[in-house]
Amino acid sequence: MRKLVLKMSMSLDGFVCGPDGEAGWMLRSRGEDSAAWLVENLQQAGVHVVGSRTYHAMARHWPTSPEPVAAPMNDIPKVVFTRQKPAEADLSSYAESWSSARFAHGDLADEIQRLKEQPGKDIFAHGGAGFARSLVRLGLVDEYRLVVHPVAIGAGQALFGDLPKPVNLDLVSTTVFKAGTMAQVYRPVAG
């Protein structure tokens, strides 16, 4: 069975975005070494899962991006979790790999379980904040790949803000990048 990997960037004080979704602070500490780490990680994905707002933002950005991350972001199939199905016209302006995304409207836990049972490489979740918090709250995440940026933003949306109970995690690895960001990989402790 494949696993669900949640990759999120977060501030040093634990926020994945500002109170109104601001994320520009992440751009200040990007570098070639962290981009290479991300590309290597994305190549392990068999499918990207995202919330609908993140999907639309990514579908506008990645097809024309010159960044090294663009190729795996564009090439890997997508599943978009949304309560509403977009009109075909809404998707016609997106590149083919984005306009051919599958839209999932059912129960989040059931849909993720079906994806986990399919053969192939791992499932990579990218957010946004609300979608990621739902995955965490429901205990669906098998591995966290958290990129911590050396900035405190003071307020925002916390990844672990909706937990019904504490989640114990094992640190699997830590990678420190030249710009001061740090990738930390965690797995939930069973039991």
Side-chain angles (χ1 to χ4, degrees), residues 132-152:
R133 278 196 311 268
S134 294
L135 295 172
V136 172
R137 182 181 64 252
L138 295 170
L140 301 174
V141 179
D142 300 301
E143 186 170 284
Y144 295 88
R145 297 188 187 174
L146 306 176
V147 178
V148 181
H149 294 257
V151 61

Side-chain angles (χ1 to χ4, degrees), residues 62-146:
W62 289 118
T64 59
S65 172
E67 298 172 59
V69 174
M73 290 303 295
N74 289 323
D75 296 344
I76 297 168
K78 289 96 180 145
V79 177
V80 182
F81 286 83
T82 181
R83 291 181 183 91
Q84 302 174 22
K85 186 170 183 167
E88 286 297 318
D90 295 342
L91 305 178
S92 64
S93 65
Y94 294 161
E96 200 279 321
S97 69
W98 290 90
S99 64
S100 63
R102 182 173 75 81
F103 286 80
H105 308 286
D107 178 77
L108 179 59
D110 292 342
E111 294 278 357
I112 292 293
Q113 186 59 38
R114 277 192 282 280
L115 286 171
K116 286 183 176 184
E117 291 170 355
Q118 294 175 1
K121 294 179 176 181
D122 290 335
I123 305 158
F124 270 53
H126 298 279
F131 176 65
R133 278 196 311 268
S134 294
L135 295 172
V136 172
R137 182 181 64 252
L138 295 170
L140 301 174
V141 179
D142 300 301
E143 186 170 284
Y144 295 88
R145 297 188 187 174
L146 306 176

